[in-house]
């Protein structure tokens, strides 16, 4: 037997932000867990550039922007991170950008972006700016290069700019990752799937609308990533119904207006006026709520950081699990979540704006802590302590702002919704309302506690389907993941210019065979029907293993080599479309093997871990960072214990150097 240890090989499918975060954690943990005398070869497989990957690649419209301020975007652990591995702080997007204007220290490896427009943006980027996606692409590329630089000399990385089409191999032997552009597969000891957000072929209801469009020569776009959507078929002046008012809609709005040559002018009173190019279609937009997502806050806390978690932290989750019974999210968990979010809101209100409160903070919080969120006494406490209803937090009114409202004419509804949007922008951009940011931070804390509760399997099938993946996901996005305020000011300008028309809440889409048009109606404007020659589903595709556009995942699913998450109880069965992984270390549950596959791991968006966000706001103990660290440590330990029976042959890739 040779005294030279065999080379360990890890194949990482996907090279975007999630894979980059894992690579950073491998580099951070390698000094403790990897024998520097043994070589570790890491293969990255992705047709898109390492770091940004597909979603954040540079090759997309320069008009598209992030929906987080530059100071709120980081890829690095910090003092808030509850991880076993070492904390290795790094710059946020804003801190990294400041080096190019001389406003901050240089961050190695220092390379100025080759794109002159991106470099110019970075030189003027402030912490409260919303950067272009191209700027974020440059940041992610740098994070990737830094992770490479931090790896020990015994760990090498090769990038294969192609698509992984399949993975084969027994649970107790080497795995073979098959590539689209060559016949020889990669052979690895372990495989990690980190493809990120993945598209899917249209579901049945979208197929029916597509068939209608083909029959009548109309335009139809199923759920799609906006930057990938082919919008060339939409004609100038064509009437288009868009279902969805979230971030995908905002991107489509930009691409179909400013992206077609329209321009904005800022008036003396600060409002925007839109000047059409004449190439825009006419957009009729609506959704279940009928209003766009709340604008992102563009201010910092005015008071001290709220000490979170307080009412929905690990102890609260422990107490719920100790009850040993099935849990309903809305009945058993949401009151604690709501109280936590309320605590963040009122902590900021009382500390930053005491003139708008009528009780001393110690008196208020002592009563608040002992009351349940939906107690009558809680409502009385808040009414007494917070005189102005505009300063109180009411989730039901926030969630459904158009409930019970009906308007006699489309014009009356346009006026109402414009006022609603304008007031939201004012609230989210004025530090006077910084209590909203306190609520937002508590919302992030709540989000970080949910994965353990979900992994326990204690939530009922119905509540996972309707409340967690349904209501909660939508409510969280509506409150916490909206567009920058300037996008909503643009939306108002487009509405005043007649380019955008609001349809209302609870929109229903139909088809009219006689006219060959799509129809849209809403109870917000009774007896009003819009006819359009195009329909766009303005939201992202939902998860589906059966319809996944990723050939590797789709193939494993068809072979029965991975399991879709299915949650069943006596009254309900929920198929989430997500890939089932073990809750602690992300190993694929392989039905053919009968349990977790020891050599296959999956992370991120396609999995039922629901730790989706690959980057995060600093000092929020991000779930994805915790998962990346745990998986990196498990990988290094497993690879250290793996001795290949025969040497794994090298495969040509692109060796990556800093």
């Amino acid at each position: 037997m040779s005294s030279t240890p065999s080379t360990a090989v890890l194949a990482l499918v996907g090279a975007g932000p999630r894979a980059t975060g894992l690579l950073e954690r491998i580099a951070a943990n390698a000094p403790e867990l990897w024998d520097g005398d043994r070589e570790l070869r890491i293969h990255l497989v992705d047709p898109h550039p390492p770091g940004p990957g597909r979603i954040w690649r540079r090759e997309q419209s320069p008009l598209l922007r992030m929906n987080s301020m530059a100071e709120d975007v980081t890829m690095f652990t910090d003092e808030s991170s509850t991880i076993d591995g070492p904390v290795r702080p790094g710059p946020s997007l804003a801190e990294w950008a400041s080096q190019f204007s001389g406003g901050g220290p240089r961050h190695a490896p220092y390379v100025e972006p080759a794109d002159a427009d991106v470099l110019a943006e970075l030189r003027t980027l402030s912490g409260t700016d919303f950067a272009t996606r191209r700027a974020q692409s440059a940041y992610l590329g740098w994070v990737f290069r830094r992770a490479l630089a931090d790896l020990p000399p015994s760990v090498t990385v090769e990038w294969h700019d192609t698509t992984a089409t399949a993975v084969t191999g027994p649970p107790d032997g080497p795995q073979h990752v098959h590539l689209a552009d060559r016949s020889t597969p990669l052979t690895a000891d372990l495989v990690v799937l980190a493809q990120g957000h993945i598209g899917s072929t249209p579901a049945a209801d979208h197929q029916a609308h597509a068939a209608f469009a083909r029959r009548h020569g109309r335009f139809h776009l199923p759920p799609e990533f906006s930057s990938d959507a082919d919008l060339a078929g939409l004609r100038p002046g064509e009437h288009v119904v868009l279902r969805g008012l979230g971030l995908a809609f905002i991107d489509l709005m930009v691409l179909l207006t400013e992206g077609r040559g329209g321009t904005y002018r800022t008036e003396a009173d600060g409002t925007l006026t839109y000047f059409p190019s004449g190439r825009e279609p006419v957009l009729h937009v609506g959704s279940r709520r009928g209003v766009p997502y709340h604008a992102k806050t563009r201010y910092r806390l005015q008071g001290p950081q709220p000490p979170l978690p307080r009412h929905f932290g690990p102890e609260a989750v422990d107490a719920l699990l100790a009850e040993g019974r099935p849990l309903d999210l809305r009945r058993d968990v949401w009151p604690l979540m709501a109280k936590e979010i309320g605590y963040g809101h009122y902590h900021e209100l009382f500390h930053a704006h005491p003139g708008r409160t009528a009780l001393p903070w110690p008196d208020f919080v002592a009563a608040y802590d002992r009351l349940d969120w939906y107690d009558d006494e809680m409502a009385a406490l808040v009414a007494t302590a917070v005189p102005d209803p505009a300063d109180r937090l009411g989730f039901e009114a926030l969630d459904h702002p158009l409930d019970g409202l009906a308007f006699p004419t489309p014009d009356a509804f346009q006026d109402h919704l414009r006022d609603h949007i304008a007031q939201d922008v004012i609230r989210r951009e004025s530090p006077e309302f910084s209590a909203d940011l306190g609520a937002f931070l508590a919302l992030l804390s709540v989000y970080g506690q949910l994965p353990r509760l979900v992994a326990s399997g204690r939530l009922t099938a119905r509540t996972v389907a309707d409340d967690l993946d349904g209501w909660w996901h939508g409510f969280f996005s509506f409150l916490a993941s909206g567009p920058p305020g300037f996008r909503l000011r643009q939306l108002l300008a487009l509405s005043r210019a007649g380019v955008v028309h609001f349809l209302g809440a609870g929109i229903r889409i139909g088809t009219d065979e006689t006219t060959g048009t799509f129809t849209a109606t809403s109870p917000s404007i009774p007896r009003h029907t819009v006819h359009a020659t195009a329909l766009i589903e303005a939201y992202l595709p939902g998860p589906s293993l059966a319809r996944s556009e990723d050939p590797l995942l789709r193939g494993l699913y068809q072979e029965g080599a991975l399991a879709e998450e299915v949650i069943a109880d006596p009254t309900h069965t929920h198929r989430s479309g997500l890939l089932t992984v073990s809750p602690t270390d992300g190993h694929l549950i392989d039905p053919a093997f009968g349990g977790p596959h020891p050599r296959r791991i999956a992370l991120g968006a396609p999995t039922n871990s629901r730790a989706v966000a690959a980057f995060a706001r600093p000092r929020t103990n991000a779930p994805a960072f915790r998962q990346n660290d745990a998986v990196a440590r498990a990988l290094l330990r497993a690879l250290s214990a793996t001795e290949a029976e025969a040497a794994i042959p090298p495969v040509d890739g692109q060796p990556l150097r800093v």
Side-chain angles (χ1 to χ4, degrees), residues 120-177:
E121 177 188 355
L122 294 173
R123 284 174 171 162
T124 60
L125 189 70
S126 76
T128 56
D129 285 339
F130 294 87
T132 65
R133 294 190 190 170
R134 287 184 170 184
Q136 173 69 350
S137 180
Y139 172 65
L140 293 171
W142 172 79
V143 175
F144 177 79
R145 293 192 298 275
R146 168 165 157 163
L148 289 183
D150 288 343
L151 289 168
S154 60
V155 181
T156 58
V157 178
E158 296 180 20
W159 171 40
H160 306 270
D161 57 343
T162 185
T163 299
T165 58
V167 58
T168 58
D172 59 351
Q175 302 298 291
H176 306 288
V177 179

Side-chain angles (χ1 to χ4, degrees), residues 11-16 43-48 158-165 177-180 186 194-195:
L12 187 48
V13 180
H43 293 289
L44 293 180
V45 184
D46 196 320
H48 301 287
E158 296 180 20
W159 171 40
H160 306 270
D161 57 343
T162 185
T163 299
T165 58
V177 179
H178 301 262
L179 307 179
L186 302 174
Q195 295 99 316

Side-chain angles (χ1 to χ4, degrees), residues 133 141 265 291 315 333-334 346 387 409 438 502 508 533 580 658:
R133 294 190 190 170
R265 183 179 69 198
V291 300
E315 296 82 4
V333 188
W334 167 246
Y346 292 118
T409 65
F502 301 113
R508 294 181 292 271
T533 52
T580 304
V658 179

Side-chain angles (χ1 to χ4, degrees), residues 348-372:
E348 173 67 6
L349 181 69
F350 276 75
H351 287 84
H353 312 286
R356 307 211 305 262
T357 64
L359 283 180
W361 171 249
D363 295 348
F364 175 82
V365 78
Y368 186 93
D369 283 348
R370 66 177 175 80
L371 296 172
D372 291 335

Side-chain angles (χ1 to χ4, degrees), residues 630-651:
V631 171
R633 292 176 68 83
L635 286 171
L636 289 169
R637 288 192 176 104
L639 288 164
S640 294
T642 300
E643 283 288 342
E645 294 182 1
I648 295 176
V651 178

Side-chain angles (χ1 to χ4, degrees), residues 197-376:
H197 293 279
I198 298 170
S200 58
T201 57
D205 54 339
H206 302 313
Q207 292 174 7
H209 284 147
F212 176 86
R214 286 193 298 271
R215 243 183 356 263
H216 294 278
R218 305 307 192 185
F219 181 94
H220 174 258
L221 184 72
E224 176 62 280
F225 296 101
S226 303
S227 58
D228 294 335
D230 183 0
L231 305 173
L234 290 172
R235 303 184 303 275
E238 182 172 12
H239 286 260
V240 185
V241 168
L242 293 93
R243 176 160 51 182
L245 276 162
L247 294 182
F249 159 71
I250 294 295
D251 288 346
L252 291 164
M253 174 193 85
V254 172
L255 295 172
L256 290 170
T257 55
E258 207 176 355
R260 290 196 170 189
T263 57
Y264 294 93
R265 183 179 69 198
T266 303
E267 307 297 347
D269 62 358
T271 61
L272 293 180
T273 299
Y274 182 73
F275 295 92
S277 68
R279 297 166 53 209
E280 302 90 344
V282 179
L283 310 180
H284 302 268
V285 301
S287 66
R288 286 174 296 179
R289 287 187 184 86
V291 300
Y293 283 9
H294 285 284
K296 271 291 181 70
T297 56
R298 199 183 180 185
Y299 41 70
R300 301 179 177 98
L301 287 176
Q302 306 301 294
Q305 189 89 3
L308 301 169
R310 186 178 180 94
H311 298 288
F312 188 65
E315 296 82 4
V317 174
D318 288 341
L320 287 168
L321 298 181
E323 295 184 19
R325 62 179 176 85
L327 297 173
D328 182 282
L329 185 85
R330 294 297 288 266
R331 181 194 66 210
D332 302 315
V333 188
W334 167 246
L336 296 172
M337 299 162 64
K339 189 175 179 180
E340 183 83 301
I341 300 165
Y343 176 80
H345 177 93
Y346 292 118
H347 185 279
E348 173 67 6
L349 181 69
F350 276 75
H351 287 84
H353 312 286
R356 307 211 305 262
T357 64
L359 283 180
W361 171 249
D363 295 348
F364 175 82
V365 78
Y368 186 93
D369 283 348
R370 66 177 175 80
L371 296 172
D372 291 335
W373 178 256
Y374 287 106
D375 283 353
D376 291 341

Side-chain angles (χ1 to χ4, degrees), residues 486-530:
F486 75 86
R487 288 298 192 208
L488 294 186
R489 290 197 298 274
Q490 290 177 344
L491 177 59
L492 289 174
L494 292 168
S495 172
R496 291 190 293 266
V499 176
V500 167
H501 300 266
F502 301 113
L503 290 169
I507 66 165
R508 294 181 292 271
I509 304 297
T511 55
D512 185 332
E513 291 287 352
T514 302
T515 61
T517 56
F518 295 101
T519 62
T521 59
S522 163
S524 300
I525 318 173
R527 298 177 298 279
H528 174 66
T529 301
V530 167

Side-chain angles (χ1 to χ4, degrees), residues 607-653:
T607 74
N608 68 336
S609 71
R610 294 177 171 82
V612 174
F615 45 83
R617 190 185 183 104
R619 292 172 291 282
T620 56
N621 193 20
F625 294 1
R626 303 198 306 262
Q627 187 183 61
N628 285 347
D629 186 73
V631 171
R633 292 176 68 83
L635 286 171
L636 289 169
R637 288 192 176 104
L639 288 164
S640 294
T642 300
E643 283 288 342
E645 294 182 1
I648 295 176
V651 178
D652 290 338

